[in-house]
Amino acid sequence: MNYDRILIRYGEISTKGRNRNKFVDKLRKSVRIALSSFPNIKIEASRDRMYVLLNGENGIEIVNKLKNIFGIQSFSPAIKIEKDVEILKQASLELVNSLYQPGQTFKVTAKRSDKTFELNTDETNHAVGGYLLQNIPDLKVDVRNPDINLRVEIRKEAIYLSCETIQGAGGLPVGSSGKALLMLSGGIDSPVAAYQAMRRGVEVEAVHFFSPPFTSERAKEKVIDLCKKLAEISGGSMKLHIVHFTDIQQAIREQVPENYTMTSTRRMMLKITDKIRAKQEGLAIITGENLGQVASQTLESMFAINEVTNTPILRPLISMDKTDIIKIASAIDTLEISNRPYEDCCTIFVPASPKTKPKREKVNQYESYFDFEPLIKEAVEEVETLHIKPDWNSNSEFDELF
């Protein structure tokens, strides 16, 4: 079956009232970016629905792209036919036959915006439904919960037929809720946190802390591959800010008691991320923290670490079970990458007995023994920023340094 267009339903966007147009514009941009490799398509959008006109492009490939775009509740591929009753009957039969399995039920849902068409809505339902019953053995009608719902949309220029409803990613279009900076390690949690934030319309840029020679180039490549996956999910590109953290981490080891080094490390990371956020005009910081999972993720630790910034910190995974996080990581195809045995700077320098209930006054006292600000300033100034796309590689035209 050669489809002519795809009808996109907004879902949650439809509840946004006076702000709906802004969300629709963001979704249209996301769709256009995701389908940039299909030059012949045309996108038509209104407050209530959006159409992708295929103009000969590969409908199956486009369907696969649309499945991952946040802000789409569902969508339906449609065929375009002439406004003729006999053509309508025959095309409906071919379309239903292409999907029908023995024993399934159906109904016809007609919508007539062109009042000049010779059949009204009820007459169209009966004419098409009767023709299908005559020509498909054992087919039965179920108007409440059919297996196949044949939608007939009669417009001025043509009739459009569809009977598949494909679930979209849901949520809100990326960028409709502002920008935030993600603290991206090489672990399982932070990519899932990015996915959850993007699903709520947040544009995400990543910050990764790199400590050569203690962490290898393989660890860096691992993070780049995670960004490729997240860029693929978002339908565009992702900025990755790589912070060289070795000097700060060594200073912490020399100046701060061992059981407080994890707390101080996280505070320095948060300070640096916040400065990068300000430069990039972000509104929040995202972490993959999960309450009680490790020493730095107790409420006491969060209280001590959060002191260094007033910027909102989004923790999408805060109350999730680890098994649920792993399920999402597997579904978005980041789990295998995260499980590669290349450690980041946090796991390399984990103390034997990290403080699980650190005190703000103590960590402030320990950090006062050394002036970290020049090192923080240098780390921010020397940040390496990459624009990562799904097909990014080190020799790519997308390898941009800032």
Side-chain angles (χ1 to χ4, degrees), residues 216-226 337 340:
S216 68
E217 285 294 322
R218 291 290 185 91
K220 185 176 177 181
E221 291 171 9
K222 176 180 175 181
V223 170
I224 288 173
D225 286 344
L226 288 172
I337 300 171
R340 292 178 192 169

Side-chain angles (χ1 to χ4, degrees), residues 201-367:
V202 178
E203 178 187 350
V204 175
E205 295 183 12
V207 179
H208 177 67
F209 292 86
F210 185 52
S211 294
F214 304 107
T215 53
S216 68
E217 285 294 322
R218 291 290 185 91
K220 185 176 177 181
E221 291 171 9
K222 176 180 175 181
V223 170
I224 288 173
D225 286 344
L226 288 172
C227 283
K228 287 183 186 179
K229 286 294 180 184
L230 293 173
E232 183 179 343
I233 291 168
S234 70
S237 64
M238 172 174 281
K239 279 187 181 179
L240 171 61
H241 307 282
I242 299 174
V243 179
H244 292 267
F245 198 57
T246 307
D247 291 345
I248 295 174
Q249 207 149 20
Q250 287 180 322
I252 292 170
R253 291 181 71 189
E254 293 169 3
Q255 302 297 329
V256 177
E258 184 184 24
N259 61 345
Y260 266 84
T261 57
M262 179 62 71
T263 304
S264 189
T265 296
R266 294 291 292 181
R267 282 163 61 98
M268 297 301 164
M269 287 179 169
L270 193 55
K271 281 185 178 182
I272 292 169
T273 301
D274 200 28
K275 291 182 183 298
I276 298 172
R277 173 207 60 78
K279 281 189 171 186
Q280 298 299 314
E281 299 181 339
L283 300 175
I285 295 170
I286 304 167
T287 77
E289 291 168 308
N290 180 249
L291 187 60
Q293 193 179 106
V294 295
S296 64
Q297 297 181 20
T298 63
L299 281 180
E300 291 84 356
S301 287
M302 292 179 194
F303 182 73
I305 293 166
N306 281 16
E307 183 187 23
V308 302
T309 181
N310 291 322
T311 298
I313 299 177
L314 310 182
R315 297 181 172 93
L317 314 184
I318 192 68
S319 63
M320 292 180 64
D321 291 338
K322 187 67 174 182
T323 53
D324 294 328
I325 297 171
I326 291 172
K327 285 179 184 177
I328 296 174
S330 179
I332 65 176
D333 204 22
T334 59
L335 182 61
E336 185 178 342
I337 300 171
S338 294
N339 281 332
R340 292 178 192 169
Y342 310 119
E343 297 180 300
D344 58 40
C345 60
C346 287
T347 52
I348 288 287
F349 289 101
V350 172
S353 300
K355 197 74 173 176
T356 58
K357 296 182 179 181
K359 303 294 184 183
R360 278 185 175 181
E361 57 271 19
K362 284 193 174 182
V363 71
N364 277 309
Q365 177 187 344
Y366 299 143
E367 290 175 2

Side-chain angles (χ1 to χ4, degrees), residues 42-284:
K42 183 179 178 182
I43 301 169
E44 295 179 351
S46 68
R47 284 175 56 84
D48 302 312
R49 62 180 66 187
M50 185 178 297
Y51 286 102
V52 178
L53 310 183
L54 303 187
N55 293 323
E57 297 284 7
N58 190 311
I60 294 175
E61 292 182 7
I62 289 175
V63 163
N64 289 332
K65 292 280 188 181
L66 292 176
K67 287 178 182 178
N68 298 321
I69 299 176
F70 295 115
I72 296 178
Q73 188 67 28
S74 65
F75 57 94
S76 298
I79 60 173
K80 179 181 179 181
I81 61 171
E82 295 179 36
K83 290 163 58 179
D84 179 271
V85 174
E86 294 306 316
I87 293 175
L88 169 59
K89 291 178 181 179
Q90 188 59 39
S92 297
L93 178 61
E94 291 177 12
L95 182 57
V96 172
N97 258 331
S98 70
L99 299 171
Y100 174 69
Q101 299 292 326
Q104 286 186 323
T105 58
F106 88 108
K107 78 170 182 177
V108 180
T109 305
K111 181 179 179 180
R112 188 183 67 151
S113 58
D114 179 10
K115 304 304 182 184
T116 66
F117 188 65
E118 59 189 281
L119 301 180
N120 64 26
T121 300
D122 288 338
E123 290 168 342
T124 302
N125 287 337
H126 288 118
V128 174
Y131 189 76
L132 295 177
L133 289 169
Q134 291 171 8
N135 289 277
I136 301 178
D138 300 323
L139 182 65
K140 292 182 174 59
V141 176
D142 184 346
V143 296
R144 293 177 179 270
N145 188 29
D147 298 306
I148 298 173
N149 183 6
L150 175 64
R151 295 180 178 87
V152 180
E153 186 172 353
I154 304 166
R155 303 181 71 178
K156 288 185 177 181
E157 73 279 7
I159 295 177
Y160 297 96
L161 302 177
S162 65
C163 56
E164 285 184 274
T165 299
I166 301 169
Q167 288 303 119
L172 298 172
V174 171
S176 61
S177 298
K179 182 195 295 184
L181 276 289
L182 167 74
M183 297 176 70
L184 178 64
S185 69
I188 294 172
D189 299 337
S190 51
V192 176
Y195 170 80
Q196 296 287 69
M198 288 191 296
R199 195 167 187 271
R200 298 310 305 159
V202 178
E203 178 187 350
V204 175
E205 295 183 12
V207 179
H208 177 67
F209 292 86
F210 185 52
S211 294
F214 304 107
T215 53
S216 68
E217 285 294 322
R218 291 290 185 91
K220 185 176 177 181
E221 291 171 9
K222 176 180 175 181
V223 170
I224 288 173
D225 286 344
L226 288 172
C227 283
K228 287 183 186 179
K229 286 294 180 184
L230 293 173
E232 183 179 343
I233 291 168
S234 70
S237 64
M238 172 174 281
K239 279 187 181 179
L240 171 61
H241 307 282
I242 299 174
V243 179
H244 292 267
F245 198 57
T246 307
D247 291 345
I248 295 174
Q249 207 149 20
Q250 287 180 322
I252 292 170
R253 291 181 71 189
E254 293 169 3
Q255 302 297 329
V256 177
E258 184 184 24
N259 61 345
Y260 266 84
T261 57
M262 179 62 71
T263 304
S264 189
T265 296
R266 294 291 292 181
R267 282 163 61 98
M268 297 301 164
M269 287 179 169
L270 193 55
K271 281 185 178 182
I272 292 169
T273 301
D274 200 28
K275 291 182 183 298
I276 298 172
R277 173 207 60 78
K279 281 189 171 186
Q280 298 299 314
E281 299 181 339
L283 300 175

